[in-house]
């Protein structure tokens, strides 16, 4: 059965997913257009303070890096094959509507990812109501709003991870793991962000492994890995031919020292007490921001600002649901294929300490690598609740989370822009 037939044969589901996706897409445009207009109207002033090597998107928010999208066409070990995307996208944006191009494109990607989450939840057994509630909640998250606006690799990586999760669910359900689709998804996950290779191959192994047919499933997994390696060799050669002999292999050592090792620092509870909020809560509910570094005009989460009770309630609420989903499905392959994403995030950002060297500049942006899995784990718990009254309580709780998250994020989205405007006015006055 094809991917299309498996997920899109129910017309009512299609209509609901399309409606949710369309409303969110329009919402992303509406809420982010003031940022685009502000950049356009103040391009000369903002260029003086631009930390992104002249990239047209000059706002330094939550440590996202627009220079990846607008900057050099070279690649790195962090984003090995990403220049296959950035080269044409950069050309199209420069020769069309600039930052608006990325807003349109990334709004489509985020709306599409939200719709795919709806289909995953529906195929996994969730009701239309629960599936719609969780997909809407994901769609109005702070991270989804800002990653629609800011040119960077994260919306593309997140969509590929969600597509990968949908593919793995279908494959588990049908006990079918064809080599080519699996290998292509490995290539895409690795090509956009190299660390995603670890999470996807882990989720693939969990999904494909069957103790009753151990050797057969291991051979299937090995064939997928070998074919993905052949694809990587081919595309690396193509990269060499298209980009003047430069490939992701060319500067592995430099990329690791500048883009990876340079971000590593030991975890300390005393110094990194806001880690949970940065990685989980703030990407759901937009935090108060602060100008934490005037030299590069870096706006990030204000870690000294108190968190309102409703923020704690909503942030911890979705986390508790995800943990309960993991506990309830601890023997379920679906749950473990999802749990790999937050577990790897804990290992990478706490055990190894990646990102902690730039802790004050925010860890918010890393949420795209696991946030979708938290929502799917939470939905797993709600759908497996058998008590009717408890299920109604859970449904009401999700609706309340949607209202709280949407209200907070709309207000904070506009207040963030107001804060940015006032900060630039102060910087401009100081430079005169």
């Amino acid at each position: 059965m094809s991917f299309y037939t498996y997920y899109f044969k129910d017309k009512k589901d299609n209509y609901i997913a399309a409606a949710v996706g369309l409303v969110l897409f329009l919402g992303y445009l509406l809420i982010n257009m003031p940022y685009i207009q502000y950049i356009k109207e103040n391009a000369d002033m903002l260029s003086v303070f631009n930390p992104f090597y002249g990239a047209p998107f000059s706002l330094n928010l939550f440590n996202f890096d627009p220079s990846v999208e607008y900057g050099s066409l070279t690649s790195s070990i962090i984003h090995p094959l990403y220049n296959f995307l950035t080269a044409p996208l950069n050309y199209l944006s420069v020769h069309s509507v600039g930052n608006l191009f990325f807003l349109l494109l990334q709004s489509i990607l985020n709306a599409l990812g939200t719709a795919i989450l709806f289909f995953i939840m529906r195929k996994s057994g969730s009701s239309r109501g629960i599936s719609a509630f969780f997909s809407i909640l994901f769609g109005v998250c702070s991270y989804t709003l800002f990653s629609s606006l800011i040119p960077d690799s994260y919306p593309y990586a997140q969509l590929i991870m969600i597509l990968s999760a949908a593919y793995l669910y279908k494959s588990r359900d049908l006990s079918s793991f064809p080599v080519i689709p699996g290998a292509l998804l490995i290539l895409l996950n690795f090509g956009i962000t190299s660390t995603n290779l670890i999470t996807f191959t882990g989720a693939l192994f969990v999904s494909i492994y069957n103790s009753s047919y151990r050797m057969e499933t291991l051979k299937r997994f090995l064939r997928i890995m070998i074919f993905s390696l052949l694809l990587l060799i081919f595309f690396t050669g193509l990269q060499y031919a298209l980009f003047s002999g430069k490939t992701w292999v060319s500067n592995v050592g430099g990329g690791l020292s500048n883009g990876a090792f340079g971000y590593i620092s030991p975890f300390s509870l005393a110094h990194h007490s806001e880690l949970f909020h940065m990685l989980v809560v703030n990407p759901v509910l937009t935090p108060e921001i602060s100008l934490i570094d005037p030299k590069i005009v870096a706006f990030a989460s204000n870690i000294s600002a108190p968190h309102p009770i409703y923020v704690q309630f909503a942030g911890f609420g979705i986390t508790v649901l995800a943990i309960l989903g993991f506990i309830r499905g601890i023997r379920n392959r679906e749950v473990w294929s999802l749990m790999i994403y937050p577990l790897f995030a804990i290992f990478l950002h706490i055990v190894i300490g990646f990102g902690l060297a730039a802790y004050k500049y925010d860890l918010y942006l890393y949420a795209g690598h696991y946030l979708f899995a938290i929502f799917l784990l939470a939905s797993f718990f709600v759908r497996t609740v058998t008590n009717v009254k408890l299920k109604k309580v859970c449904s009401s709780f999700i609706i309340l989370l949607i209202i709280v998250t949407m209200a907070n994020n709309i207000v904070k989205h506009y207040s963030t822009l107001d804060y940015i405007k006032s900060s630039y006015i102060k910087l401009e006055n100081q430079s005169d």
Side-chain angles (χ1 to χ4, degrees):
M1 183 184 295
S2 70
F3 185 91
Y4 180 86
T5 303
Y6 182 81
Y7 278 105
F8 306 123
K9 61 183 179 182
D10 189 312
K11 289 185 178 180
K12 192 168 185 178
D13 285 352
N14 294 344
Y15 293 145
I16 294 172
V20 170
L22 179 60
V23 170
L24 288 172
F25 167 71
L26 295 175
Y28 300 149
L29 294 185
L30 181 64
I31 201 169
N32 284 313
M33 276 303 297
Y35 284 82
I36 299 297
Q37 194 65 28
Y38 173 71
I39 295 172
K40 182 179 179 180
E41 292 175 352
N42 297 274
D44 291 339
M45 182 271 290
L46 294 176
S47 66
V48 176
F49 304 99
N50 191 338
F52 299 122
Y53 313 104
F57 192 96
S58 49
L59 302 183
N60 189 355
L61 279 165
F62 298 114
N63 210 18
F64 284 96
D65 185 6
S67 67
V68 172
E69 207 80 22
Y70 269 120
S72 172
L73 300 182
T74 59
S75 58
S76 69
I77 184 60
I78 308 299
H79 307 290
L81 303 176
Y82 191 50
N83 56 355
F84 280 104
L85 272 177
T86 58
L89 295 181
N90 184 30
Y91 179 86
L92 289 171
S93 66
V94 170
H95 292 83
S96 59
V97 287
N99 290 318
L100 180 58
F101 171 82
F102 285 111
L103 172 59
L104 288 165
L105 175 60
Q106 293 174 181
S107 295
I108 291 172
L109 297 181
N110 283 348
L112 181 59
T114 301
I116 294 172
L117 281 183
F118 171 83
F119 285 114
I120 295 174
M121 288 183 274
R122 282 292 292 138
K123 295 301 292 187
S124 65
S126 293
S127 66
R128 288 193 177 96
I130 294 299
S131 302
F133 294 155
F134 271 106
S135 59
I136 291 169
L137 180 58
F138 179 79
V140 298
C141 280
S142 173
Y143 186 89
T144 317
L145 300 180
F146 277 106
S147 63
S148 296
L149 166 68
I150 306 167
D152 204 337
S153 62
Y154 291 91
Y156 310 89
Q158 180 175 258
L159 178 62
I160 294 301
M161 285 185 284
I162 293 173
L163 275 171
S164 300
Y167 163 77
L168 290 178
Y169 187 87
K170 167 186 173 291
S171 298
R172 287 191 303 268
D173 190 27
L174 302 180
S175 298
S176 174
F177 294 86
V179 171
I180 294 177
L184 283 172
L185 286 172
I186 289 175
L187 179 74
L188 288 171
N189 278 280
F190 173 75
I192 295 178
T193 305
S194 54
T195 53
N196 292 346
L197 170 70
I198 298 170
T199 45
F200 177 67
T201 54
L204 175 63
F205 182 79
V206 167
S207 298
I208 202 172
Y209 184 73
N210 188 325
S211 58
S212 300
Y213 304 95
R214 185 177 303 170
M215 290 307 299
E216 182 180 335
T217 55
L218 287 175
K219 287 178 182 178
R220 170 66 58 169
F221 179 76
L222 187 60
R223 282 197 291 270
I224 293 173
M225 295 300 294
I226 291 172
F227 193 76
S228 69
L229 179 60
L230 294 175
L231 286 174
L232 178 60
I233 292 170
F234 172 78
F235 278 95
T236 301
L238 186 60
Q239 189 179 51
Y240 181 89
L242 293 176
F243 298 99
S244 304
K246 296 179 181 179
T247 71
W248 64 275
V249 183
S250 305
N251 192 28
V252 170
L256 288 173
S257 61
N258 296 326
F261 296 145
Y263 284 87
I264 293 176
S265 179
F267 172 73
S268 165
L269 184 60
H271 293 95
H272 306 126
S273 58
E274 283 295 306
L275 190 72
F276 173 73
H277 286 95
M278 283 184 168
L279 288 173
V280 180
V281 180
N282 293 355
V284 177
L285 295 110
T286 302
E288 296 286 344
I289 70 162
S290 177
L291 178 59
I292 53 109
D293 190 342
K295 292 181 180 179
I296 56 173
V297 201
F299 298 96
S301 299
N302 184 353
I303 58 177
S304 64
H307 298 283
I309 293 176
Y310 71 86
V311 169
Q312 304 282 28
F313 170 78
F316 280 92
I318 191 68
T319 305
V320 168
L321 286 179
I323 293 172
L324 290 173
F326 170 65
I327 294 171
R328 183 177 285 269
I330 198 166
R331 295 184 179 181
N332 189 296
R333 284 193 299 166
E334 175 189 347
V335 165
W336 274 106
S337 72
L338 294 171
M339 195 63 192
I340 283 172
Y341 290 90
L343 284 177
F344 180 72
I346 292 170
F347 173 76
L348 183 64
H349 299 300
I350 299 178
V351 178
I352 294 179
F354 181 81
L356 295 184
Y359 174 74
K360 73 172 186 175
Y361 292 97
D362 230 321
L363 305 178
Y364 174 103
L365 76 169
Y366 299 128
H369 295 300
Y370 52 84
L371 194 62
F372 76 96
I374 291 175
F375 279 79
L376 288 176
L377 286 167
S379 72
F380 179 90
F381 171 74
V382 175
R383 87 160 189 258
T384 55
V385 169
T386 54
N387 183 284
V388 176
K389 289 184 178 179
L390 180 57
K391 197 146 196 167
K392 287 182 178 179
V393 169
C394 290
S395 300
S396 300
F397 179 64
I398 299 305
I399 294 172
L400 181 60
L401 285 182
I402 292 172
I403 295 170
V404 169
T405 302
M406 187 181 297
N408 176 83
N409 292 352
I410 291 174
V411 171
K412 291 286 181 65
H413 211 76
Y414 289 115
S415 65
T416 295
L417 181 57
D418 290 336
Y419 180 82
I420 289 170
K421 290 178 179 179
S422 63
S423 298
Y424 272 106
I425 290 173
K426 291 179 183 178
L427 289 172
E428 193 176 24
N429 291 337
Q430 291 171 5
S431 65
D432 289 342

